[in-house]
């Protein structure tokens, strides 16, 4: 593998022929190149790479506007789609109304087979001594025409997926973890990734550091910035930097001195936009006052509400319960399947959430994974009934 003919598809007539070819296959390799607020506004599909064992098609969605036939191939349950760590690719396809079926994730396979870092580059390097050229990793995929180097870079993300899939599948097929893999395939059939929440643009760090009042004000300003970014077709942080947004809320800058501030798009460095952002800021302050949003940190209280009485556990109690009930199970999984796989099946964060009552074992992704944890606990004489 890796020697497939690379063909750039730039017309719907040629795409029709590609779809006809793909429809006859039992498995194809798929990857996407996209821009997610790096060079322009929004989450944009820029390139589709689809390979068979003989050809690699690089499909330009800017020129091939009608992707219905290709999406039908992606939906076809008789065709396995080999992808590597496809979460963001699936999120983008779902936003376009395409829900691929029978996706085999080679990253997930690698995690089940005890690879510490199952990135595509690491797996290809370890298994086949192949080095991926990552010079175009941050390429602006909006630009046209595509260079030959860009086309070849995009192709490399699918050319070797057949050989990788064959190797990993053969190693996992006759193990106890094979059913865990089948569960993951079924999960990817059914999951529906949701688009980003345009109403809550705060980061985890914002929620941890800011008072409820400042969180509200910042979020209102971030929503305003997002609208402006859409107008200018720029990533939001290119319109007004993240640090400048937070300095507005903290009072570190004077909005009356807007035109002298740095880290903003030149087109908004004027008195007209100064009046606009002052208006948005004052409106956010009024709304916060009307809603009686206080300048306090209530994050701990919100977590307590979400988790109920589980937050009454202190750190020592959580650690003691984890050491008694879940650590031995994790260690046995590590003994059976390897350190990295054991931690993947029952990691520290998952264990903490189970002990604290935030999740239960039945909430973990994959029925076979749940069964494996419970069977392992039973073999050790540990009753996890309270955590099911």
């Amino acid at each position: 593998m890796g020697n497939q003919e690379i063909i750039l598809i730039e017309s719907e007539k040629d795409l029709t022929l590609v779809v006809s070819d793909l429809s006859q296959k039992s498995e194809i390799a798929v990857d996407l190149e996209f821009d997610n607020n790096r060079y322009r506004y929004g989450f944009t599909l820029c390139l589709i790479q689809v390979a068979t064992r003989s050809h690699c098609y690089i499909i330009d969605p800017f020129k091939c506007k009608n992707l219905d036939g290709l999406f039908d191939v992606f939906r076809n349950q008789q065709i396995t789609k080999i992808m590597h760590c496809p979460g963001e690719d699936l999120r983008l396809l779902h936003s376009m109304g395409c829900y691929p079926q029978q996706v085999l994730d080679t990253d997930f396979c690698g995690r089940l087979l005890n690879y510490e870092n199952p990135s595509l580059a690491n797996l290809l390097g370890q298994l086949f001594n192949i080095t991926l050229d990552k010079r175009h990793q941050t390429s602006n995929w909006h630009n046209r025409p595509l260079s030959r180097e860009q086309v070849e870079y995009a192709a490399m993300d699918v050319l070797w997926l057949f050989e990788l899939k064959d190797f990993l599948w053969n190693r996992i097929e006759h193990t106890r973890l094979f059913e865990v893999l089948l569960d993951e395939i079924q999960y990817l059939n059914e999951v529906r990734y949701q688009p980003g929440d345009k109403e809550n643009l705060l980061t985890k760090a914002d929620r941890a550091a800011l008072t409820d009042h400042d969180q509200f004000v910042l979020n209102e300003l971030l929503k305003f910035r997002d609208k402006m970014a859409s107008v200018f077709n720029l990533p939001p942080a290119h319109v007004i930097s993240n640090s400048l947004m937070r300095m507005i809320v903290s009072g570190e800058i004077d909005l009356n001195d807007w035109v002298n501030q740095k880290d903003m798009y030149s087109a908004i460095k004027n008195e007209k936009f100064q009046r606009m952002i002052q208006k948005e800021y004052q409106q956010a302050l009024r709304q916060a006052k009307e809603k009686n949003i206080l300048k306090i940190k209530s994050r701990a209280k919100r977590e307590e509400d979400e988790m109920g009485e589980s937050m009454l556990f202190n750190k020592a109690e959580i650690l003691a319960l984890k050491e008694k009930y879940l650590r031995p199970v994790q260690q046995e999984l590590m003994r059976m399947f390897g350190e990295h796989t054991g931690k993947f099946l029952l990691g520290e964060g998952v264990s903490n959430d189970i002990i604290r009552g935030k999740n239960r074992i039945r909430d973990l992704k994959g029925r076979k994974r749940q069964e494996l944890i419970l069977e392992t606990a039973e073999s050790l004489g540990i009753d996890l009934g309270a955590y099911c």
Side-chain angles (χ1 to χ4, degrees):
M1 286 289 92
N3 58 354
Q4 297 99 315
E5 181 183 3
I6 301 172
I7 306 173
L8 180 60
I9 304 299
E10 298 181 289
S11 74
E12 294 188 357
K13 178 181 177 181
D14 288 342
L15 180 57
T16 299
L17 297 175
V18 170
V19 168
S20 178
D21 180 35
L22 298 177
S23 299
Q24 308 305 313
K25 308 303 181 185
S26 61
E27 57 184 8
I28 58 177
V30 179
D31 188 52
L32 308 180
E33 300 299 341
F34 53 78
D35 180 37
N36 193 359
N37 282 315
R38 178 185 287 273
Y39 295 103
R40 300 189 188 180
Y41 177 80
F43 196 7
T44 307
L45 176 64
C46 298
L47 214 59
I48 308 169
Q49 305 98 283
V50 186
T52 68
R53 291 183 182 262
S54 58
H55 294 84
C56 177
Y57 302 110
I58 308 299
I59 302 165
D60 186 346
F62 296 166
K63 296 182 179 180
C64 303
K65 301 289 187 181
N66 187 349
L67 299 173
D68 291 348
L70 182 63
F71 285 175
D72 284 342
V73 171
F74 290 172
R75 298 184 186 103
N76 190 329
Q77 295 197 10
Q78 304 307 310
I79 303 173
T80 297
K81 272 62 69 173
I82 308 168
M83 304 179 74
H84 190 85
C85 200
E88 286 303 289
D89 290 356
L90 294 177
R91 187 183 303 279
L92 179 53
L93 289 171
H94 287 188
S95 74
M96 301 175 72
C98 176
Y99 302 94
Q101 298 292 291
Q102 297 305 110
V103 173
L104 175 63
D105 179 5
T106 48
D107 173 85
F108 191 87
C109 294
R111 294 182 186 280
L112 292 183
L113 290 171
N114 200 41
Y115 290 98
E116 181 177 7
N117 179 4
S119 70
L120 183 59
N122 282 348
L123 288 176
L124 293 181
Q126 289 182 50
L127 300 178
F128 310 121
N129 198 29
I130 296 167
T131 301
L132 291 183
D133 184 351
K134 306 305 287 184
R135 283 179 296 174
H136 292 281
Q137 189 169 21
T138 58
S139 184
N140 186 345
W141 295 104
H142 286 278
N143 289 343
R144 294 295 185 273
L146 295 165
S147 69
R148 187 62 193 174
E149 290 77 13
Q150 283 181 303
V151 172
E152 291 175 352
Y153 167 85
M156 288 299 291
D157 283 338
V158 291
L159 288 178
W160 295 97
L161 285 183
F162 291 101
E163 189 161 355
L164 180 60
K165 170 259 178 183
D166 291 345
F167 180 90
L168 298 175
W169 184 274
N170 289 337
R171 286 196 59 194
I172 201 172
E173 185 175 11
H174 300 295
T175 71
R176 291 185 64 190
L177 293 174
F178 185 62
E179 289 187 326
V180 177
L181 174 59
L182 296 182
D183 263 359
E184 175 69 6
I185 294 173
Q186 185 60 34
Y187 169 79
L188 293 178
N189 284 345
E190 297 171 357
V191 68
R192 296 294 180 263
Y193 288 106
Q194 300 301 313
D197 185 357
K198 293 294 186 181
E199 293 302 310
N200 186 353
L201 300 176
L202 298 174
T203 66
K204 186 176 180 180
D206 292 330
R207 291 189 290 272
L210 301 179
T211 66
D212 288 5
H213 177 276
D214 287 354
Q215 285 183 47
F216 177 84
V217 173
L218 175 59
N219 194 54
E220 292 302 300
L221 291 181
L222 290 173
K223 289 192 289 185
F224 169 69
R225 182 184 70 169
D226 192 75
K227 292 177 183 177
M228 292 298 100
S230 176
V231 171
F232 292 118
N233 194 22
L234 287 173
H238 290 194
V239 177
I240 306 174
S241 73
N242 293 328
S243 59
L244 185 56
M245 293 294 291
R246 285 151 183 81
M247 289 170 67
I248 294 171
V249 176
S250 67
E252 295 176 60
I253 69 166
D254 182 358
L255 287 179
N256 291 315
D257 192 35
W258 179 255
V259 296
N260 293 317
Q261 301 304 321
K262 299 179 181 180
D263 299 328
M264 71 176 73
Y265 183 43
S266 59
I268 68 169
K269 209 169 190 179
N270 53 60
E271 292 183 358
K272 177 182 177 181
F273 194 88
Q274 175 181 304
R275 290 191 293 272
M276 290 174 64
I277 196 165
Q278 284 176 322
K279 179 181 177 181
E280 294 294 329
Y281 181 54
Q282 292 301 323
Q283 181 174 305
L285 292 176
R286 285 195 301 272
Q287 289 178 337
K289 184 175 181 180
E290 291 169 1
K291 295 174 182 290
N292 196 31
I293 301 175
L294 303 178
K295 292 189 175 184
I296 59 172
K297 291 183 183 179
S298 63
R299 180 172 62 92
K301 183 179 185 304
R302 282 196 301 274
E303 288 183 348
E304 183 176 342
D305 291 340
E306 290 172 3
M307 298 184 216
E309 295 182 358
S310 62
M311 283 299 293
L312 298 177
F313 290 125
N314 59 39
K315 290 183 179 179
E317 288 173 317
I318 292 171
L319 180 60
L321 289 169
K322 187 166 68 173
E323 291 294 324
K324 179 178 180 180
Y325 289 102
L326 296 181
R327 182 76 70 195
V329 178
Q330 182 194 62
Q331 290 175 339
E332 181 63 11
L333 291 170
M334 291 165 64
R335 185 193 67 78
M336 292 190 295
F337 304 115
E339 175 185 358
H340 308 301
T341 299
K343 290 179 178 178
F344 175 60
L345 294 169
L346 185 61
E348 294 300 318
V350 168
S351 296
N352 286 336
D353 287 345
I354 290 172
I355 293 298
R356 295 163 74 183
K358 187 175 182 180
N359 281 322
R360 293 190 170 274
I361 293 173
R362 66 170 177 266
D363 299 322
L364 301 182
K365 186 175 69 173
R367 183 172 56 85
K368 291 300 179 181
R369 177 188 177 197
Q370 300 169 21
E371 291 176 1
L372 184 58
I373 291 170
L374 292 173
E375 289 171 7
T376 303
E378 185 178 1
S379 72
L380 298 171
I382 297 173
D383 182 6
L384 293 180
Y387 301 104
C388 287

